[in-house]
Amino acid sequence: MSVQVEKLEKNMAKLTIEVSAEEFGKALQQAYQKQKNHISLPGFRKGKAPMAMIEKMYGSHIFYEDAANILMPEAYAQAADESGLDIVSQPAIEVTQIEKGKSFIFTAEVAVKPEVTLGEYKGVEVEKKTVEVTDEEIEAELKKEQEKNSRIIPIEGRPVENGDLVVLDFEGFVDGEAFQGGKGEQYPLTIGSGSFIPGFEEQLIGAEVDKEVEVNVTFPEDYQAEELKGKAATFKCTVHKIEKKELPELNDDFAKDVSEYDTLAEYKEEIKKNIEESKLEDVRREKEDAVLSKIIEGAQMEIPEAMLETQAQQMLDDFARRMQSQGLTMDQYMQFTGTNAEDLQKQMKPQAMKRIQSRLVLEKIAAVENIEISDEQLMDEIKKMADMYKMDAEKLSDMMGDHEKEQLKLDMAVQQAITLVTEAAKEV
């Protein structure tokens, strides 16, 4: 196999890859072995027809596609390695010669990592932000903990009140006719939650168990069902059960139950500390982002479109995996949101561009600052990863190849570069 490299404009390159006629012939034989059991010829049992007879009947090109697919992955990988290029995109493949008895030639157009010219990266100015925790934020966290520790109690002997949890049957009518989707049985509803259309829940206040009440509402003009927009409707409702959420009292006993503290005052201080730490982490991330944005503004680099598309596709694949982990396929997600894969990838391109630019400038800074990760530092990081996955560190290290370890070293160098430029930034 041989490879020729042609540098193109805008950080693109073309690899012309030639595989010998002998290797192509072997690939044709593999393609024949793969397909022969699916080909029938008169006078031959299925799978027994000679290759030459099949080619005579259907044309010599019958095995070309499979042969090309057999050869290209390995040939491209070898050519990419031999080229010495830092390839940052999927290849755009084009076959230029495919004929029995001749060498197999194809091209692969790829994006290569752009060169970066840094501007100012130490001492860039960013807005100074302070952290303050308010009493309202502490009370809101206490309220959440109250809700988590609440209990549901049945209510008897009184009608529905605001804030009650009810179970009801309902059926809706427009112009005296029941409409699709307007009926529910044993439906749970919290009065005052705003789950139903405006005016519905308020009219259930005062309803008594097992006594039908009429609720009259008007659907909003922007309602999702076209046929119901702006229409007046009557719902016949029957509440079957009333319950109420009972919150624990906020006192020292509550603090003892939900925390390691003996008093509510101590527990509040812990809540304040946790909120403050969370806000400080947010501020740290915002500062990093602001510093990187300033450094990117002052840097020069030309991002090839193929590199951007590859990054956006990787982000889309990651998003699909997250959706799948939540039990939702991408087809379902796109159906619910009325979008498609092309639109999603387009939406991700601005973020993909920021990721690429951030990584490139940080790698450049790490190189300029001679940030190198020692084998000892690498092993310490592998130990942290092993602890996270509850694995033996030596075993995890053995599982990682040289490429993975070098990539991890680069990631660590980039992280040190982030710390360097963030600490050097001026807050004004």
Side-chain angles (χ1 to χ4, degrees):
M1 189 210 78
S2 66
V3 57
Q4 293 180 342
V5 179
E6 179 187 355
K7 296 287 183 70
L8 306 175
E9 293 182 343
K10 298 182 179 179
N11 292 307
M12 297 294 291
K14 181 191 283 188
L15 309 181
T16 299
I17 304 158
E18 183 171 351
V19 181
S20 69
E22 182 182 357
E23 289 300 312
F24 182 55
K26 290 178 182 178
L28 285 171
Q29 282 291 335
Q30 291 180 52
Y32 162 67
Q33 294 296 330
K34 177 183 173 183
Q35 290 192 41
K36 67 178 184 178
N37 291 330
H38 305 288
I39 298 174
S40 297
L41 281 185
F44 295 94
R45 284 184 293 130
K46 201 168 189 179
K48 298 298 182 180
M51 182 176 179
M53 293 294 293
I54 296 173
E55 289 177 329
K56 185 175 181 181
M57 174 68 72
Y58 294 104
S60 58
H61 63 275
I62 186 171
F63 300 117
Y64 284 0
E65 184 176 351
D66 274 353
N69 290 335
I70 288 166
L71 288 173
M72 284 193 292
E74 186 177 346
Y76 169 73
Q78 186 180 337
D81 187 53
E82 290 181 10
S83 72
L85 299 174
D86 198 344
I87 296 172
V88 290
S89 74
Q90 294 297 318
I93 300 291
E94 183 179 347
V95 175
T96 58
Q97 179 172 292
I98 184 166
E99 186 177 341
K100 194 172 184 179
K102 294 184 179 181
S103 58
F104 171 59
I105 303 173
F106 68 100
T107 62
E109 198 165 309
V110 294
V112 295
K113 183 179 287 187
E115 283 294 323
V116 177
T117 303
L118 291 171
E120 181 184 22
Y121 65 89
K122 284 184 179 177
V124 299
E125 293 185 351
V126 293
E127 181 184 352
K128 184 174 183 177
K129 294 191 176 181
T130 58
V131 167
E132 180 185 357
V133 180
T134 65
D135 291 341
E136 290 77 14
E137 288 171 325
I138 297 171
E139 293 302 320
E141 286 301 312
L142 275 174
K143 182 71 175 175
K144 288 180 186 176
E145 200 62 38
Q146 265 189 307
E147 293 283 348
K148 281 164 59 178
N149 289 273
S150 64
R151 65 190 186 103
I152 305 299
I153 58 172
I155 298 296
E156 296 179 358
R158 71 158 174 80
V160 174
E161 294 180 359
N162 194 36
D164 284 346
L165 288 74
V166 302
V167 175
L168 75 155
D169 295 344
F170 62 85
E171 186 172 14
F173 299 84
V174 171
D175 297 329
E177 296 289 333
F179 57 88
Q180 188 175 3
K183 186 175 183 178
E185 294 180 350
Q186 297 295 307
Y187 193 94
L189 175 65
T190 300
I191 305 301
S193 64
S195 303
F196 277 32
I197 58 177
F200 186 99
E201 293 167 29
E202 293 87 338
Q203 293 180 57
L204 288 177
I205 294 173
E208 297 179 16
V209 172
D210 293 332
K211 291 187 178 179
E212 187 178 283
V213 294
E214 282 194 359
V215 170
N216 295 294
V217 293
T218 300
F219 283 97
E221 293 292 341
D222 60 352
Y223 193 69
Q224 66 268 24
E226 189 69 33
E227 68 277 9
L228 296 176
K229 289 181 177 180
K231 292 289 183 69
T234 298
F235 284 86
K236 294 181 179 179
C237 306
T238 303
V239 173
H240 295 299
K241 184 162 62 173
I242 305 173
E243 296 175 324
K244 193 168 186 65
K245 186 182 290 185
E246 187 178 75
L247 300 177
E249 189 178 348
L250 289 177
N251 53 27
D252 292 344
D253 288 335
F254 173 77
K256 289 176 185 177
D257 288 340
V258 301
S259 74
E260 58 186 33
Y261 299 98
D262 293 328
T263 68
L264 184 62
E266 290 175 310
Y267 181 44
K268 282 185 175 183
E269 280 302 312
E270 177 65 13
I271 290 174
K272 181 178 180 180
K273 178 185 171 185
N274 291 338
I275 295 173
E276 187 174 48
E277 287 177 353
S278 177
K279 285 191 168 187
L280 285 170
E281 179 61 20
D282 290 341
V283 166
R284 183 192 66 77
R285 284 196 297 266
E286 288 173 12
K287 183 180 178 181
E288 278 185 2
D289 193 58
V291 170
L292 274 174
S293 293
K294 282 289 183 73
I295 294 172
I296 289 168
E297 282 178 21
Q300 294 178 13
M301 59 192 124
E302 187 174 26
I303 310 300
E305 183 64 23
M307 184 182 188
L308 181 60
E309 288 178 358
T310 297
Q311 179 67 55
Q313 185 59 51
Q314 288 173 356
M315 291 169 61
L316 185 58
D317 292 342
D318 289 342
F319 179 74
R321 281 189 286 272
R322 290 197 301 273
M323 287 292 101
Q324 194 167 13
S325 70
Q326 297 171 23
L328 194 67
T329 67
M330 278 302 289
D331 286 341
Q332 290 170 327
Y333 175 81
M334 289 187 288
Q335 184 179 358
F336 295 154
T337 56
T339 187
N340 56 49
E342 187 178 344
D343 290 338
L344 286 173
Q345 190 181 44
K346 188 176 180 180
Q347 291 168 21
M348 289 179 177
K349 278 192 174 182
Q351 188 183 352
M353 177 63 82
K354 181 68 180 291
R355 281 194 188 182
I356 291 169
Q357 291 171 326
S358 299
R359 180 74 182 199
L360 289 175
V361 297
L362 288 168
E363 286 183 5
K364 185 68 174 181
I365 291 167
V368 170
E369 293 289 332
N370 295 313
I371 298 174
E372 294 185 358
I373 305 300
S374 68
D375 290 340
E376 290 77 15
Q377 289 173 307
L378 174 65
M379 196 60 206
D380 287 341
E381 186 66 20
I382 291 174
K383 285 176 182 175
K384 291 178 186 176
M385 294 168 61
D387 289 342
M388 187 188 306
Y389 293 109
K390 295 181 171 55
M391 291 179 64
D392 177 74
E394 291 294 339
K395 186 175 181 181
L396 178 58
S397 178
D398 291 342
M399 290 170 61
M400 296 174 68
D402 291 340
H403 175 75
E404 285 79 9
K405 288 180 179 177
E406 287 304 313
Q407 189 61 48
L408 181 54
K409 277 188 175 182
L410 183 56
D411 292 343
M412 293 170 68
V414 162
Q415 193 56 50
Q416 287 191 21
I418 293 175
T419 302
L420 184 150
V421 296
T422 303
E423 290 178 350
K426 297 174 184 176
E427 294 182 304
V428 294

